[in-house]
Amino acid sequence: MDLLSSFPMLASFPFLLFLIWCAHLVFFKARSTPREPPCAGFAAPKCYPLVGNLPHFINNCDRFLEWTTELLVASPTGTVTVAPFVFTANPSNVEHMLKANFDNYPKGGDVVSALHDFLGRGIFISNGEQWKAQRRAASFEFNTKSLRAFVFDRVRHEAADRLVPLLRQASRDGQVLDLQELFDRFAFDNIISLVFDQDADCLRRGNKEGERFFRAFHKAAHLSVDRMKLPHPLVWKLKRWLDTEDERRLRESTAVVHEFVDKYVRLKRSGGCTSSGGDLLSRFAEDGTRTDEFLRDFLLSVVLAGSDTTPAAITWFFYVLSSKPDVVDHIREELRLVRARRCEPGGEAFTLEELREMNYLHAAIAESLRLHPAVPLLPRVCAADDEMPDGTRVRRGWTVMYNSYAMGRAEVIWGKDCGEYKPERWLEVGVFQARSAFQYPVFHAGPRMCLGKEMAVIQMKAITASILEGFDMELAEQRGKHDLSISMRMDGGLPMRFRERRGR
């Protein structure tokens, strides 16, 4: 039984003290807010006596993304200060914090502490020299042709031998499938293959150990993120000390995850793990100076990065495609033309080179990510007083958060048609043209830019090509509301019906 629910006074009194303390903290931080020159026609949220900006955060805790986006769209500078937070959708500010003054904006201690039990000191939450050492090693491996070929081989196998047969059976049975869950499982199978060269077989639910790891990993990840949604770290630390139900579930799930990873690290060290040698564990275990704990923490960060953001991104892409038959037709025509250029026509999966040739598909994916970024909000903590390029002054200890969701809807960046879904905006003479990562930071930017960016796009292309070439689809229930967790997921999943295409 939950200790907090058993003793209401124990539950309410510390939390009441915390709220009083938090209001006091926010008030004094708000009092130190530097006065910014007023912008005509725009009023920042009012700072209240005694409680400062705390009421704004309480009132908008369930719509934080919408609230910050509304503020940023209304702001002439694309930046709003609600002390102790600064929200920005200004590309110059994004470049300043992610590149020009990178060392002054590390990942915050509250984020690191909330995720530490689960991820240890992995690259996802580390800073300074610890992060640089992991980044250098990861960058070298992720840029090798052999690793890219290894990843693509697994993606192609998963799509052709598992995903397509599953959709074909659902078509015959008239079954509605949750695409978001399918993509979760597809991505998890591929990232476990990349990291450990093991077949989790989650898409078909054919491996008990893989299924147990899948469920425990996602539970631990989401419960860890739930810690960050609480108003202050003292709350979850108190709950951990009291061993509340959610903290107990997090501890148990984390134990399962660590047990799985430690098992394969030990097997690899002892020579008892059979693999092709192309996986990340094999590559990193070759360096005998790296401890087992280092390997576990690093590999867990890779699993997290590869198993959450890509499924979220492609779920939103298929949601967009469900109401854009003209875009689907364009993609299918591109697939047809690519197949027609083959010396030996056939129905087998597309090659890596063929997927790279698909400029319109790339543009359609990029446009979906512009409007539905997998990670819409990214926070950093200011280490020393600073001034942003647009004149916004930031105090030491404040959180600066860029909003890529708002940036994708910014007229100043994308023009008057910024609210429209138009893949053509990414094409010049039919060739895909990338935009500055500081205008389009969906894969982050600067030194922490996503190492798996190319792999993610290739995976999304391979999945889309496999599905659209073989199936028509129909949204079974209306969707479109987002659910913020590690990434921007779709609330309620994405229920779809599929019908196998004949004589295409």
Side-chain angles (χ1 to χ4, degrees):
M1 182 178 291
D2 192 327
L3 185 58
L4 282 179
S5 62
S6 302
F7 299 97
M9 287 297 292
L10 187 63
S12 60
F13 184 67
F15 191 70
L16 179 61
L17 286 177
F18 159 72
L19 283 179
I20 295 172
W21 178 84
C22 188
H24 175 79
L25 175 66
V26 172
F27 169 59
F28 278 102
K29 285 192 174 183
R31 285 182 62 189
S32 66
T33 304
R35 295 287 183 181
E36 305 293 348
C39 297
F42 174 74
K46 178 182 178 182
C47 183
Y48 296 96
L50 186 62
V51 294
N53 290 311
L54 185 63
H56 299 300
F57 292 96
I58 294 174
N59 290 339
N60 294 285
C61 63
D62 292 331
R63 55 183 305 274
F64 193 76
L65 178 59
E66 293 90 344
W67 173 55
T68 57
T69 299
E70 290 164 4
L71 291 174
L72 293 171
V73 168
S75 169
T77 64
T79 304
V80 178
T81 299
V82 188
F85 284 80
V86 173
F87 305 110
T88 189
N90 186 315
S92 296
N93 290 349
V94 173
E95 183 172 5
H96 178 77
M97 64 183 288
L98 297 187
K99 182 182 178 182
N101 204 8
F102 172 77
D103 290 336
N104 197 45
Y105 292 94
K107 292 206 171 184
D110 291 349
V111 172
V112 172
S113 63
L115 296 174
H116 180 268
D117 290 346
F118 175 42
L119 296 177
R121 294 175 291 179
I123 190 172
F124 189 81
I125 57 173
S126 58
N127 289 304
E129 291 302 319
Q130 191 176 76
W131 170 78
K132 290 178 183 178
Q134 295 184 61
R135 179 76 182 195
R136 281 193 297 268
S139 182
F140 173 79
E141 295 296 349
F142 273 83
N143 284 302
T144 59
K145 290 183 179 180
S146 59
L147 186 66
R148 293 175 182 176
F150 182 90
V151 171
F152 179 68
D153 180 67
R154 298 306 195 270
V155 170
R156 184 165 55 176
H157 164 70
E158 186 82 0
D161 298 343
R162 294 182 177 176
L163 180 61
V164 169
L166 191 154
L167 296 178
R168 190 176 293 130
Q169 188 61 49
S171 170
R172 293 168 183 166
D173 297 343
Q175 182 183 3
V176 174
L177 296 176
D178 179 0
L179 267 191
Q180 183 163 253
E181 183 179 3
L182 285 187
F183 294 151
D184 281 340
R185 291 176 173 275
F186 185 101
F188 200 77
D189 281 350
N190 280 289
I191 197 64
I192 296 306
S193 179
L194 166 65
V195 173
F196 303 104
D197 198 13
Q198 299 297 315
D199 184 8
D201 203 4
C202 290
L203 190 60
R204 298 185 304 183
R205 305 171 193 255
N207 182 325
K208 289 184 179 180
E209 183 186 38
E211 183 71 14
R212 182 170 180 254
F213 183 46
F214 171 81
R215 292 183 179 278
F217 188 91
H218 281 85
K219 185 180 294 184
H222 290 284
L223 288 171
S224 295
V225 170
D226 285 345
R227 283 177 166 183
M228 296 191 296
K229 295 179 180 179
L230 295 169
H232 194 275
L234 287 178
V235 178
W236 69 256
K237 289 177 181 179
L238 175 63
K239 293 172 70 178
R240 183 176 62 179
W241 180 71
L242 294 171
D243 198 25
T244 62
E245 181 181 355
D246 51 351
E247 285 293 322
R248 187 162 54 250
R249 288 166 56 212
L250 172 57
R251 186 179 67 253
E252 292 168 353
S253 299
T254 299
V256 172
V257 169
H258 288 183
E259 176 189 348
F260 180 95
V261 178
D262 290 344
K263 168 186 173 182
Y264 285 101
V265 169
R266 286 195 305 271
L267 286 172
K268 175 59 64 177
R269 294 288 202 196
S270 65
C273 183
T274 58
S275 71
S276 64
D279 56 284
L280 282 178
L281 174 56
S282 296
R283 292 164 183 262
F284 275 80
E286 289 178 356
D287 186 342
T289 64
R290 292 170 178 153
T291 66
D292 290 1
E293 183 182 15
F294 171 93
L295 289 176
R296 184 188 70 196
D297 293 349
F298 173 78
L299 296 176
L300 279 177
S301 285
V302 175
V303 173
L304 179 66
S307 65
D308 200 85
T309 53
T310 301
I314 197 169
T315 296
W316 284 103
F317 182 43
F318 271 82
Y319 169 73
V320 170
L321 293 180
S322 69
S323 63
K324 303 289 181 183
D326 57 324
V327 175
V328 172
D329 289 343
H330 270 90
I331 294 172
R332 284 176 174 156
E333 177 61 14
E334 184 171 62
L335 300 180
R336 187 190 68 78
L337 291 174
V338 170
R339 285 214 182 275
R341 289 196 290 268
R342 285 186 172 185
C343 296
E344 299 179 2
E348 67 273 11
F350 291 100
T351 66
L352 182 58
E353 290 71 24
E354 288 172 333
L355 289 173
R356 285 174 171 156
E357 292 174 15
M358 297 176 186
N359 287 281
Y360 186 84
L361 177 53
H362 196 163
I365 290 170
E367 183 71 347
S368 177
L369 281 166
R370 177 179 73 86
L371 295 170
H372 307 287
V375 184
L377 294 166
L378 191 142
R380 293 289 185 263
V381 171
C382 182
D385 289 359
D386 191 24
E387 183 171 321
M388 293 287 193
D390 68 357
T392 300
R393 282 165 286 179
V394 188
R395 296 295 194 201
R396 180 175 62 86
W398 284 10
T399 297
V400 181
M401 187 176 294
Y402 78 75
N403 184 327
S404 57
Y405 184 87
M407 294 178 76
R409 289 160 168 74
E411 185 175 320
V412 68
I413 300 175
W414 302 100
K416 292 185 181 299
D417 61 354
C418 59
E420 300 177 33
Y421 176 82
K422 294 177 61 176
E424 292 76 16
R425 76 174 76 242
W426 296 89
L427 299 171
E428 290 184 15
V429 198
V431 178
F432 178 83
Q433 298 294 323
R435 294 288 290 265
S436 164
F438 303 109
Q439 295 178 322
Y440 178 73
V442 299
F443 291 101
H444 308 314
R448 281 190 183 263
M449 178 175 277
C450 176
L451 288 170
K453 173 184 175 181
E454 182 183 356
M455 296 180 190
V457 172
I458 288 295
Q459 182 169 314
M460 291 176 70
K461 282 185 172 183
I463 293 172
T464 304
S466 298
I467 293 177
L468 294 190
E469 190 175 46
F471 302 90
D472 292 317
M473 59 186 184
E474 177 189 6
L475 190 62
E477 298 176 23
Q478 186 54 48
R479 288 294 187 270
K481 184 179 179 182
H482 65 253
D483 176 23
L484 278 183
S485 182
I486 301 168
S487 58
M488 189 174 76
R489 296 174 61 79
M490 186 166 292
D491 188 30
L494 186 62
M496 283 278 192
R497 291 189 182 90
F498 291 89
R499 184 175 68 256
E500 193 169 4
R501 302 177 70 221
R502 302 292 184 180
R504 57 184 187 275

